[in-house]
Amino acid sequence: MKDTATDGLFALLRAALHGKMEDTALFAQGDEAWWREIYSRSSVQGVLAVAWDGLQMLPGELCPSRQLLLEWAFNVEQIEKRYRRHEAAVTRLAAFYHKHGIPMMLLKGYGLSLSYPVPSHRPFGDIDIWLYGRQPEADRIVTRELGLQVDEDKEHHTTFLFDGIMVENHYDIVNNETHSSNRRIEQPLKRFAAQPGESVELGGVAVGLPSVPFNALFLLRHAAVHFAAINIGLRHVLDWYVFVERNAGRIDWEELCALAREANMDRFLECLNAICAEDLGLDASLLPPSACDPKLKERVLNEILSPEFAGAKPNGLLPNMWFKTRRWWANRWKHRIVYDESLAGAFVNSVWAHLKRPKSISA
């Protein structure tokens, strides 16, 4: 169940997304402990800087203490610095590939941040790229010319450190080894990846951004898979919100909903849309008609805010394997609204995928 601190966080996020604060009365009774809880939750959920944007729309007398404001502002500045560092790395990486005639498309991350009210306030870690089938050639060039070590032990992408930032160079768009349903999702994703999307110019180089059909299916599947495996944060929900709002009228909801039904993640999609509309204030007319189960929607939202399985991952191979098994069992209800294969089949596929790449077990 949401409490008043969570209500306050959602009010800040709505203000940031809509450009105006409509819930000032909620903050009238907020004491320091209450504000500390909002600050902590926004950080855990990956929306600290977006909540800060909403905070700027509150009257001074309703704001938290000066000490917390300074702490909040400092951490927002760190997010902005990391963003600029990532932007510079993406720019240099695109220039490197361009020199070798290899086009690059960005997945999630930087490209998606451009849909946010303040792009530098969306945190992101890795640089995910799609090179239109030229991943092996690109990795050889990176190794030969830059002397970088490429890790091939991942399940659907290779990785390497570029300017100290992890790059995930996808050869498959989703992980086709752990779940058979992903192989069916992969087919339309690669078809959509071939469709022209928008682009952004970085350092004089045009960097591709995904087409709307690609992003709709990819963002949905990415959020669903992470939700089922571990959990997602409100940042993933905001990603979906800004994508839908920016591309209003360009999303083929009939096609997306059909693909979601085929993969058995239509209920997850309905919950995601309901959270965006009911809790973040997205215009419901931008979404397809839905018969979302309100109890399931609340359970999904509560799981995002406070995961049912929240144990700390232990060190050591055997303890880690046991931890992942317990987490998988605790999350089996989430599996049922994300995947269409049986729990037993998914477990066998996952174990086999890890055995083929033992290093992935400790990841």
Side-chain angles (χ1 to χ4, degrees):
M1 298 286 291
K2 288 197 298 179
D3 54 25
T4 59
T6 303
D7 289 339
L9 173 56
F10 273 100
L12 294 178
L13 296 178
R14 285 193 297 270
L17 293 168
H18 298 286
K20 58 182 178 179
M21 173 61 73
E22 297 178 339
D23 304 302
T24 54
L26 179 63
F27 299 92
Q29 303 300 318
D31 58 15
E32 183 69 4
W34 185 77
W35 272 111
R36 280 281 171 189
E37 187 63 28
I38 292 177
Y39 171 78
S40 175
R41 293 186 190 184
S42 66
S43 179
V44 169
Q45 294 290 325
V47 294
L48 182 73
V50 181
W52 170 261
D53 296 332
L55 182 58
Q56 306 313 299
M57 300 174 198
L58 273 178
E61 64 273 15
L62 298 181
C63 288
S65 67
R66 176 178 174 80
Q67 179 182 351
L68 181 56
L69 284 173
L70 289 173
E71 186 176 339
W72 206 325
F74 173 80
N75 282 293
V76 170
E77 184 181 21
Q78 300 312 301
I79 292 172
E80 293 171 344
K81 286 180 178 178
R82 288 193 294 271
Y83 183 90
R84 290 192 292 270
R85 181 182 167 213
H86 277 73
E87 184 177 47
V90 168
T91 301
R92 289 191 290 271
L93 185 63
F96 175 79
Y97 286 137
H98 179 73
K99 182 178 69 173
H100 293 280
I102 300 175
M104 184 178 88
M105 182 170 77
L106 293 170
L107 306 178
K108 306 185 282 87
Y110 180 79
L112 193 58
S113 75
L114 301 178
S115 296
Y116 274 67
V118 182
S120 62
H121 286 182
R122 181 203 183 268
F124 60 95
D126 300 336
I127 300 172
D128 289 71
I129 59 174
W130 173 251
L131 301 180
Y132 302 92
R134 298 179 67 178
Q135 169 267 329
E137 172 192 357
D139 282 349
R140 287 193 295 270
I141 295 172
V142 162
T143 300
R144 184 179 66 245
E145 297 197 10
L146 300 179
L148 301 179
Q149 182 176 356
V150 176
D151 182 359
E152 299 180 350
D153 212 44
K154 302 297 187 293
E155 289 163 340
H156 62 296
H157 54 69
T158 57
T159 61
F160 58 88
L161 286 174
F162 183 83
D163 290 349
I165 299 171
M166 184 66 71
V167 176
E168 295 186 354
N169 187 2
H170 287 247
Y171 51 82
D172 286 328
I173 297 172
V174 293
N175 188 342
N176 292 318
E177 296 190 17
T178 56
H179 292 87
S180 59
S181 56
N182 277 348
R183 290 193 284 273
R184 293 190 294 278
I185 292 287
E186 183 80 8
Q187 296 174 10
L189 279 174
K190 285 188 174 174
R191 176 163 48 88
F192 294 149
Q195 298 177 6
E198 298 178 354
S199 65
V200 58
E201 187 170 303
L202 295 171
V205 174
V207 179
L209 301 177
S211 65
V212 171
F214 178 96
N215 247 352
L217 183 56
F218 178 69
L219 293 176
L220 172 61
R221 189 59 173 179
H222 182 264
V225 166
H226 279 268
F227 176 76
I230 305 175
N231 200 34
I232 58 175
L234 286 177
R235 197 215 70 206
H236 294 82
V237 181
L238 293 193
D239 282 351
W240 186 249
Y241 179 107
V242 299
F243 166 73
V244 171
E245 186 176 57
R246 179 175 182 179
N247 295 286
R250 296 197 293 162
I251 300 172
D252 187 337
W253 285 109
E254 183 177 354
E255 178 181 47
L256 180 62
C257 290
L259 290 169
R261 281 193 300 273
E262 290 174 12
N264 193 41
M265 58 178 179
D266 50 317
R267 287 172 295 170
F268 178 79
L269 171 59
E270 290 171 350
C271 291
L272 192 59
N273 283 342
I275 294 169
C276 286
E278 297 170 13
D279 299 280
L280 292 173
L282 180 65
D283 184 349
S285 69
L286 304 180
L287 300 168
S290 171
C292 181
D293 179 349
K295 291 184 179 179
L296 180 61
K297 177 256 180 178
E298 284 304 310
R299 188 176 187 185
V300 169
L301 179 56
N302 289 337
E303 175 68 12
I304 293 171
L305 296 172
S306 182
E308 294 175 16
F309 185 90
K313 186 170 70 173
N315 296 322
L317 180 60
L318 291 178
N320 195 23
M321 290 177 64
W322 176 237
F323 168 84
K324 287 188 172 184
T325 301
R326 290 187 296 113
R327 185 176 65 190
W328 171 83
W329 183 249
N331 288 344
R332 64 193 184 278
W333 73 272
K334 296 193 285 183
H335 174 105
R336 297 189 183 103
I337 61 170
V338 168
Y339 297 113
D340 64 351
E341 61 260 53
S342 68
L343 280 166
F347 183 77
V348 170
N349 283 339
S350 181
V351 169
W352 177 242
H354 283 312
L355 289 175
K356 288 193 292 184
R357 292 178 172 84
K359 292 181 181 178
S360 66
I361 296 175
S362 60

